[in-house]
Amino acid sequence: QVAPEEFKTSISRVNSCLRKSLPVNVKWLLCGCLCCCCTLGCSLWPVVCLNKRTRRSIQKLLEWENNRLYHKLGLHWKLSKRKCETSNMMEYVILIEFLPKYPIFRPD
C-alpha cells in the first residue's frame, strides 16, 4: 500500500520537473517553427534535444523514487511510450508495475 501523501509527493515531483522545462521547450518550438523553412528543419533540433533531456530527467526522477520507496513496496514506476487512443500521435505515460515476489525462505 502506498500512502496517498507519498503518491501525491511523487506526482508533484514529476509535475514540477515538467513545469520547469515546458516554457523553455515551447519557446524553442515556436522559434523552430518560425525558422523551419529557412533552416530546412534544422531549427527544430534544439526542441528534440530539450525533449530528450526532459525525458531523461523524468526517468532519473522515477528511478530515484523507485529506489527510495516503491521497490520496497513491490512496485516499479517507469516512463513508457504509447500511441494515443484518439489519434496516431505518441505520448509518454507513467506505468506502475508490480515486481515479482521472490520466495526468500526457499533454498537455492
Side-chain angles (χ1 to χ4, degrees):
Q1 282 273 332
V2 177
E5 299 83 24
E6 288 289 346
F7 182 80
K8 185 178 179 181
T9 301
S10 298
I11 294 297
S12 295
R13 285 187 179 118
V14 171
N15 286 339
S16 174
C17 184
L18 291 172
R19 209 174 291 118
K20 287 177 190 172
S21 66
L22 184 66
V24 176
N25 289 7
V26 169
K27 287 175 190 172
W28 276 103
L29 180 62
L30 290 175
C31 180
C33 288
L34 290 174
C35 302
C36 190
C37 295
C38 301
T39 62
L40 301 174
C42 291
S43 59
L44 292 174
W45 274 109
V47 177
V48 172
C49 293
L50 284 171
N51 285 339
K52 194 173 190 178
R53 188 173 75 179
T54 302
R55 194 168 53 247
R56 278 194 197 133
S57 64
I58 296 292
Q59 288 170 338
K60 282 185 179 183
L61 176 64
L62 292 178
E63 186 179 314
W64 181 79
E65 288 286 346
N66 282 329
N67 291 330
R68 181 184 71 86
L69 175 68
Y70 294 105
H71 282 176
K72 295 171 190 166
L73 299 173
L75 299 171
H76 179 76
W77 288 36
K78 72 176 187 177
L79 203 57
S80 177
K81 193 175 188 178
R82 287 198 174 169
K83 188 175 179 181
C84 292
E85 295 175 5
T86 56
S87 69
N88 285 335
M89 295 181 69
M90 298 298 282
E91 66 181 350
Y92 284 92
V93 295
I94 295 177
L95 283 181
I96 302 174
E97 301 173 327
F98 289 100
L99 294 175
K101 293 185 179 180
Y102 297 105
I104 59 173
F105 297 113
R106 206 167 112 202
D108 292 337

